[in-house]
Amino acid sequence: MATHVKTTINNEAVEFLCEPHESLSSVLRERLHLTGTKEGCTTGDCGACSVMLDDRLVCSCLVLGVETEGMSIDTVEGVAKADKLHPIQEKLLEHAALQCGICTPGIVVSAKALLEKKADPTEEEVRFWLAGNLCRCTGYDKIIRAVLDAASVLREEA
Amino acid sequence: MSGQTSSEYKYIGTRSIRPDGADKVTGRANYGADFFLPGMVHGKILRSPLAHAKILSIDVSAALAMPGVLSIATSEDLPDMNAGTESAGEGEVDFYDFSCNVLAREKVLYHGQAVAAVAATSEAIARSALDKIVVDYEELTPVLDLLGAQKSDSPLLHKNQTTEGPKGKGKTPSNIAKQMMLARGNVDEGFSEADVVVEKTFISPIVHQGYIEPHACVVRTNESNQIDVWCSSQGHFMVRSFMARLLAMDVSNIKVTPLEIGGGFGGKTVIYLEPVAAILSRKAGRPVKMVMDREEVFRATGPGSSSIVKVKVGAKSDGRIVAMEADITLNAGAFKGSPMMPSMMCVFTPYTCPNMKVTGKDVVTNTPKVAAYRAPGAPQSHLAAECVVNEIAKRLNIDPIDLRLLNAVDEGSPTIYGPKFKAIGLKAALTEARSHPHYASALSDNQGRGVACGFWFNVGLQSSATINITESGKAVVITGNPDIGGSRASMALMAAESLGIPLDQIKPIIGDTESVGYNDVTGGSRTTFASGGAVIKAAENLIQDLKRRAAKLMDIDVELVQWIDGQAVAPADLDKKPLSLARLARKAGATGGPLTATATQTARGAGPSFAVNIIDVEVDKETGSVDVKRVTVLQDAGKAIHPSYVEGQMQGGAVQGIGWALNEEFVYNEKGVMENPGFLDYRIPLASDLPMIDTVIIEVPNPGHPYGVRGVGEAPICPPMAAVTSAVNDAIGCGADFQLTELPLSPVKVLDAAEKLMG
Ligand code: FES
Ligand code: FES
């Protein structure tokens, strides 16, 4: 039996129907066509499906759609504001920190969560925070540099 | 990271923002699984629970009767296929085997092989319908061991397969599909002259390309036998031709629209789902979407070959290498066709040594059919060759880079497979490595350093490009290779340079199989070289046309018109105003119609690329775990069109090689079931495992390309396994006798070796 769920997604009220077994990543992608959230494994190992759930960073493949009743979900689609990329997105592009780009949405969401918690992370802190976001293309070098660079931009803006 | 703009060029060599960037950082870009059609239903694959068995019968009736189930496919739905290899794209293909790999016939040859498929109104229904399909198997003994498979009493995978050798086919059936030899000079004489000889065998496991995006497609068929496909792949033309062949259709009946690709590394130069989805769609009368899960990706796609490589090298006491011999065995998986040949051709290519002999075997086992993986076959053979060369250096007490410089190939050196090298950058890369601060830096306790070099040919093959000029004078550049790592950016840079117009006037796009001429796969590091070459040619054709039209408008002879910085310019004394591209575009109606130009080529002169690595590791003597401390990668890129994406290839390739050396491995139980089919247990490198990866781009222009481009995607994965293995052996104090010779260098193995050395 499908369940009726009311949530807030990227600051907009969104209601959907979903089966009890459906993951949040599947609801976002298949039912709401918010395909910026990617699925690389659906077992919580790759981080491509990273979203914010009530301001907590989660793998949306490990959350059930029905669990999100009354909660607020922020996905990669909500990161850029009115045609302006977020500094993390800008820096990822400047540093050429994506090759295929499939890991990128998850990295954007995850890095943003880090910089909101910690404005001045060390390289090691960025590496450990992003250890849950697999990237097979880049070897991470440019991703780490981009996030550190974005952190300094955000500190200046603050 | 500083921009290095060569004065020769205005756009090439700059670090522009990729044209598809905004869509990729915002989640807007559509990858394989992100595509939907109205009325679309879901397909799922039933996979073999056994690694080796005869299929006695398949009963789909109960599954078909389930509400919501729309169609079922088995190999009976695929046309008959003749066995025998044919050349296709980058390599050779046996379409009978290919068809069996898409849906098994008669036998299953690995755990996870596709046996049947279901399309249903939901994924959940499709999954439960799979449980209702009854397959009767006669279980056979799985052949899992690469050595055991070769024994005459081993169970056979294919009863009709005999060994193909240099002198034709063997008489008795065998799991050895092919046996080859390459040689020059006389190795026996070489070894008899040598002052020092080292012989050692290195083993590497089955590994996966590990792209983060699982295979996915949507296929729609219609009543007049047209098929539309949307999928991610390393070549939509490849998808079209393979589908046509497997479904016995003409390519013109199939249109493939490429979606963004989430990594491939060679693993998406073949297809698995698309023909099955086409059958399901035809039978159901509905579009069918199929998406693999990660476990399916591990069990039934890729992987790269496991290997046993014995290398013997002899050198004079002054360091001159006088004999090199290798015996390479590669696992093909369930069907013949490992990258044995390239593995053999690459193994000693960095060296001038006059006496070489390389033998190779292609062996089938009950594991998934291997697919190309970045410089297919080369990392495995380089692992052995480069480690043995490092041992020689240690025995002779010569610096390993000096030893390589003494023996390195250069312009004019012959290769074991025939042609002589044109300009190449191996010596330049080695020289830079020798003087790099990394190489002079001190090591601490429990640390070790390894160096290695690597070689990959790179290919050219067929490419097409079209440039359409908009009414406003902008250039839409259409190519036909999926953008796997920033190729739109490099196409735009080459088009801007050739046309002399700013980058923001260029819009590079990737056409579907019907809107641009044929293109071979995105593989062999060919895209920037060959498709870029087609773009440059198309731009030249366009400029010819623009000059003709300008001449008409200026009313002068076409010979007098020059194309300079995006404008048609007449000689100064004629007092004619230059005509910009925008102006010529506006006037196109009056000068002969819309502006468009096309070029195609079978690209020749792909410049080979050499890479050199310096890698430092630290071994924890308590746990045996290895920490990668410092990595410097150097590579000849010919000309780096977009230096950041060249560095990205170098860094990504190095890290894949590091993962291959330290963590990655398919673990099978005795039944032939992979026990680690997920990213938790098949551990690819994480951000926290690594240091920064320093890059040094060497630019020895490739004479076969207008801007000197060499392919850069594959060479970077050739040296790291040997560099890491040498570094770990160094760190535990092996001296000139490496004890760790089997990958991955897991903590258990490292600890064992370290303890043995300590006595
Ligand atoms: S898809 Fe959720 S972690 Fe991989
Ligand atoms: S850019 Fe391809 S996985 Fe990260």
Side-chain angles (χ1 to χ4, degrees):
Chain A
M1 249 294 282
T3 308
H4 183 190
V5 181
K6 288 186 189 174
T7 58
T8 305
I9 301 181
N10 300 329
N11 294 323
E12 283 173 29
V14 176
E15 299 178 29
F16 55 82
L17 287 174
C18 82
E19 299 290 336
H21 65 262
E22 278 181 61
S23 67
L24 175 59
S25 58
S26 166
V27 168
L28 290 170
R29 294 177 47 79
E30 307 293 321
R31 294 199 180 260
L32 305 172
H33 290 193
L34 286 168
T35 54
T37 299
K38 305 296 179 194
E39 288 180 334
C41 67
T42 66
T43 49
D45 301 317
C46 77
C49 64
S50 300
V51 302
M52 299 301 286
L53 187 60
D54 276 355
D55 296 324
R56 207 159 45 88
L57 179 65
V58 296
C59 291
S60 59
C61 68
L62 295 183
V63 176
L64 291 172
V66 291
E67 283 181 85
T68 63
E69 171 66 38
M71 297 178 96
S72 102
I73 301 158
D74 292 304
T75 72
V76 68
E77 283 91 347
V79 174
K81 291 284 173 286
D83 263 18
K84 171 111 181 69
L85 293 179
H86 186 279
I88 290 173
Q89 295 170 314
E90 270 174 0
K91 289 297 169 191
L92 285 168
L93 289 179
E94 259 175 46
H95 286 261
L98 47 144
Q99 284 173 31
C100 79
I102 194 89
C103 66
T104 310
I107 284 173
V108 167
V109 171
S110 178
K112 184 165 174 271
L114 167 65
L115 300 187
E116 278 162 9
K117 255 189 205 306
K118 193 154 200 271
D120 195 3
T122 63
E123 178 192 332
E124 194 173 5
E125 284 168 334
V126 177
R127 287 191 178 276
F128 276 88
W129 183 272
L130 291 181
N133 290 85
L134 298 183
C135 173
R136 189 58 156 172
C137 299
T138 63
Y140 303 103
D141 180 302
K142 294 184 187 303
I143 294 174
I144 305 299
R145 290 178 200 274
V147 173
L148 289 169
D149 201 0
S152 72
V153 170
L154 285 165
R155 283 196 306 275
E156 276 161 32
E157 281 180 6
Chain B
M1 276 301 300
S2 62
Q4 37 177 240
T5 320
S6 159
S7 52
E8 276 174 88
Y9 298 118
K10 204 162 170 186
Y11 303 107
I12 283 177
T14 61
R15 298 175 186 257
S16 57
I17 299 293
R18 62 192 288 167
D20 52 339
D23 284 346
K24 285 186 173 162
V25 295
T26 53
R28 216 175 278 123
N30 279 311
Y31 290 76
D34 299 342
F35 188 77
F36 303 87
L37 281 177
M40 188 180 85
V41 298
H42 302 268
K44 276 279 143 202
I45 296 226
L46 178 69
R47 297 187 177 277
S48 170
L50 300 169
H52 195 189
K54 268 189 198 145
I55 300 174
L56 302 176
S57 65
I58 304 178
D59 182 359
V60 301
S61 53
L64 203 49
M66 280 177 65
V69 171
L70 297 172
S71 61
I72 290 185
T74 66
S75 62
E76 293 203 351
D77 299 299
L78 286 166
D80 281 338
M81 213 56 70
N82 290 327
T85 45
E86 297 170 27
S87 68
E90 249 196 301
E92 288 189 329
V93 178
D94 182 315
F95 282 98
Y96 178 79
D97 291 349
F98 199 160
S99 177
C100 294
N101 202 35
V102 163
L103 282 169
R105 304 172 187 230
E106 295 172 42
K107 275 179 106 177
V108 285
L109 293 161
Y110 56 93
H111 178 262
Q113 187 176 354
V115 173
V118 172
T121 49
S122 78
E123 214 180 303
I125 297 175
R127 275 184 204 279
S128 50
L130 296 180
D131 295 338
K132 296 269 168 61
I133 298 176
V134 185
V135 186
D136 200 4
Y137 294 104
E138 179 189 324
E139 193 168 354
L140 303 167
T141 312
V143 179
L144 299 168
D145 170 45
L146 203 44
L147 284 176
Q150 302 176 43
K151 299 215 173 98
S152 57
D153 60 351
S154 167
L156 293 169
L157 272 76
H158 307 279
K159 61 181 189 303
N160 295 327
Q161 175 177 284
T162 59
T163 307
E164 186 190 332
K167 298 194 193 79
K169 288 245 177 198
K171 297 246 162 10
T172 47
S174 169
N175 290 325
I176 305 171
K178 204 173 195 177
Q179 219 159 357
M180 291 304 238
M181 193 188 61
L182 292 170
R184 77 171 178 222
N186 183 325
V187 275
D188 295 332
E189 276 175 24
F191 283 117
S192 68
E193 282 171 34
D195 297 318
V196 52
V197 174
V198 172
E199 180 177 328
K200 203 150 266 183
T201 300
F202 288 79
I203 294 173
S204 78
I206 301 179
V207 292
H208 202 275
Q209 292 80 350
Y211 33 80
I212 306 299
E213 178 202 40
H215 300 253
C217 67
V218 174
V219 178
R220 179 179 68 193
T221 56
N222 80 359
E223 295 69 16
S224 44
N225 209 23
Q226 297 294 312
I227 300 184
D228 280 293
V229 183
W230 293 263
C231 67
S232 73
S233 77
Q234 281 177 253
H236 35 300
F237 290 90
M238 170 278 298
V239 175
R240 183 177 73 166
S241 51
F242 283 163
M243 280 183 82
R245 194 65 177 69
L246 292 167
L247 298 169
M249 296 175 69
D250 190 83
V251 287
S252 66
N253 292 109
I254 303 171
K255 174 180 171 183
V256 185
T257 303
L259 301 172
E260 297 305 327
I261 173 169
F265 315 107
K268 290 176 185 166
T269 57
V270 287
I271 56 174
Y272 303 93
L273 299 174
E274 290 82 355
V276 181
I279 297 167
L280 290 173
S281 170
R282 188 190 293 152
K283 287 180 152 186
R286 302 273 287 270
V288 173
K289 180 171 187 168
M290 298 185 85
V291 182
M292 285 194 198
D293 60 31
R294 179 55 51 184
E295 188 174 332
E296 292 179 283
V297 173
F298 273 117
R299 293 201 191 284
T301 74
S305 294
S306 53
S307 63
I308 303 172
V309 181
K310 183 165 91 184
V311 161
K312 185 176 168 189
V313 174
K316 304 290 282 181
S317 53
D318 63 2
R320 270 179 304 127
I321 297 175
V322 287
M324 302 183 105
E325 193 172 349
D327 183 36
I328 298 168
T329 304
L330 289 189
N331 179 23
F335 303 97
K336 64 181 175 284
S338 69
M340 172 194 72
M341 272 321 281
S343 187
M344 292 167 64
M345 288 155 80
C346 290
V347 59
F348 296 137
T349 302
Y351 301 98
T352 51
C353 171
N355 306 303
M356 290 183 180
K357 184 175 158 192
V358 183
T359 49
K361 281 196 207 105
D362 179 35
V363 177
V364 296
T365 62
N366 291 113
T367 56
K369 161 79 172 102
V370 301
Y373 180 18
R374 207 166 195 167
Q380 294 96 323
S381 60
H382 278 316
L383 163 68
E386 294 299 298
C387 282
V388 169
V389 167
N390 286 339
E391 283 194 39
I392 293 265
K394 290 209 181 230
R395 293 216 187 169
L396 294 175
N397 214 4
I398 298 179
D399 176 90
I401 296 182
D402 287 343
L403 183 84
R404 285 178 171 82
L405 274 166
L406 186 64
N407 292 284
V409 287
D410 209 345
E411 186 166 357
S413 303
T415 57
I416 195 170
Y417 51 90
K420 285 197 166 78
F421 282 120
K422 299 211 174 77
I424 48 171
L426 175 59
K427 282 195 169 169
L430 286 166
T431 308
E432 287 275 335
R434 187 78 174 85
S435 59
H436 196 281
H438 178 176
Y439 203 56
S441 67
L443 292 169
S444 313
D445 283 352
N446 299 325
Q447 294 189 345
R449 176 168 297 156
V451 298
C453 54
F455 160 79
W456 185 251
F457 320 86
N458 300 324
V459 300
L461 302 176
Q462 301 177 77
S463 284
S464 310
T466 295
I467 302 177
N468 292 327
I469 303 297
T470 63
E471 311 88 286
S472 57
K474 307 271 157 63
V476 179
V477 176
I478 314 176
T479 52
N481 281 110
D483 184 345
I484 201 162
S487 61
R488 285 183 184 90
S490 62
M491 296 303 144
L493 286 165
M494 284 184 276
E497 194 72 48
S498 310
L499 293 172
I501 59 175
L503 261 184
D504 63 3
Q505 314 271 302
I506 309 243
K507 186 171 187 183
I509 66 163
I510 295 155
D512 61 53
T513 50
E514 295 181 355
S515 55
V516 62
Y518 178 83
N519 285 272
D520 279 314
V521 288
T522 299
S525 302
R526 62 176 288 281
T527 302
T528 304
F529 167 72
S531 297
V535 168
I536 296 164
K537 280 193 176 176
E540 284 164 0
N541 293 344
L542 181 68
I543 290 170
Q544 290 312 316
D545 188 26
L546 289 165
K547 284 187 190 168
R548 268 194 299 276
R549 294 174 190 241
K552 215 184 227 175
L553 290 171
M554 293 175 177
D555 199 20
I556 60 173
D557 197 38
V558 65
E559 254 69 87
L560 295 173
V561 182
Q562 279 189 293
W563 189 259
I564 300 168
D565 283 340
Q567 323 192 81
V569 181
D573 55 335
L574 294 183
D575 199 25
K576 301 274 183 192
K577 266 220 190 120
L579 290 170
S580 67
L581 179 58
R583 200 166 157 76
L584 287 164
R586 278 199 300 279
K587 296 267 180 198
T591 56
L595 291 164
T596 176
T598 289
T600 70
Q601 64 166 347
T602 300
R604 312 250 178 242
S609 187
F610 287 89
V612 175
N613 284 184
I614 310 168
I615 298 183
D616 295 354
V617 302
E618 183 171 312
V619 171
D620 181 332
K621 290 240 168 105
E622 302 276 294
T623 63
S625 81
V626 176
D627 193 13
V628 178
K629 299 306 271 187
R630 186 164 179 185
V631 181
T632 302
V633 298
L634 307 94
Q635 190 183 339
D636 177 15
K639 173 71 202 165
I641 297 296
H642 192 303
S644 300
Y645 288 105
V646 171
E647 290 163 0
Q649 289 296 320
M650 294 163 70
Q651 293 166 331
V655 167
Q656 278 185 322
I658 290 169
W660 199 337
L662 294 178
N663 317 317
E664 297 181 33
E665 159 180 44
F666 276 36
V667 179
Y668 280 99
N669 70 14
E670 72 287 353
K671 291 258 188 198
V673 180
M674 185 192 181
E675 292 188 312
N676 56 336
F679 280 135
L680 192 60
D681 299 314
Y682 182 94
R683 196 173 181 285
I684 69 173
L686 314 178
S688 52
D689 293 343
L690 296 159
M692 292 297 185
I693 313 292
D694 287 336
T695 55
V696 179
I697 300 176
I698 311 287
E699 292 188 321
V700 176
N702 166 24
H705 186 275
Y707 297 131
V709 168
R710 296 174 193 275
V712 293
E714 288 168 295
I717 203 174
C718 296
M721 287 150 66
V724 170
T725 303
S726 300
V728 177
N729 276 289
D730 187 35
I732 63 170
C734 286
D737 186 11
F738 290 2
Q739 300 298 306
L740 287 160
T741 54
E742 184 171 348
L743 303 189
L745 303 176
S746 59
V748 186
K749 280 184 215 155
V750 175
L751 201 57
D752 259 14
E755 277 170 2
K756 256 186 219 141
L757 282 169
M758 289 189 292

